[in-house]
Amino acid sequence: MDWLVWVSCGAIFIGIWHEINRFPAVNKSFIALEERIESLEFDNRDLMRRVDSLENEVLSLSTEIDKIKDPIYHQAIEDGDGGALYNMDKERGEI
């Protein structure tokens, strides 16, 4: 029975030694992981801001392209000329 006590004490010692030596490495890994997550969150916010900006630019460019394709129609819209708009839509068969 004496040998069983010595084996148990040895196992406990090895377990404690392993935990003491591994804990700093695990702590460093967690800190590095937290820093990487914070970096990714910052990058994500930056990318979301840039995507919003690009969406606004695409919408603006789309509007400008529409104006170039049909300048008379857009001029009538800007002038508030409902009669001209009605006549254009009627000629185009949209009414």
Side-chain angles (χ1 to χ4, degrees):
M1 195 69 160
D2 195 31
W3 64 273
L4 187 57
V5 171
W6 284 108
V7 170
S8 299
C9 288
I12 290 172
F13 174 75
I14 290 172
I16 291 171
W17 178 79
H18 180 266
E19 291 301 318
I20 289 172
N21 287 329
R22 278 297 281 168
F23 184 72
V26 171
N27 192 26
K28 288 178 186 176
S29 296
F30 282 137
I31 291 171
L33 182 62
E34 287 175 355
E35 289 173 354
R36 182 68 180 141
I37 288 172
E38 288 174 5
S39 172
L40 288 173
E41 288 174 345
F42 175 76
D43 291 346
N44 189 30
R45 284 190 299 271
D46 183 48
L47 287 173
M48 286 178 13
R49 183 185 52 77
R50 290 173 63 189
V51 164
D52 288 340
S53 174
L54 285 174
E55 285 176 353
N56 292 337
E57 287 181 32
V58 166
L59 181 60
S60 175
L61 288 173
S62 175
T63 303
E64 291 299 318
I65 289 171
D66 287 343
K67 286 181 181 181
I68 292 170
K69 285 182 179 178
D70 197 358
I72 298 169
Y73 184 79
H74 286 280
Q75 186 62 44
I77 290 174
E78 289 176 9
D79 293 342
D81 190 357
L85 290 171
Y86 176 77
N87 291 333
M88 281 191 273
D89 285 343
K90 192 174 180 182
E91 289 174 6
R92 295 175 181 175
E94 295 177 7
I95 294 179

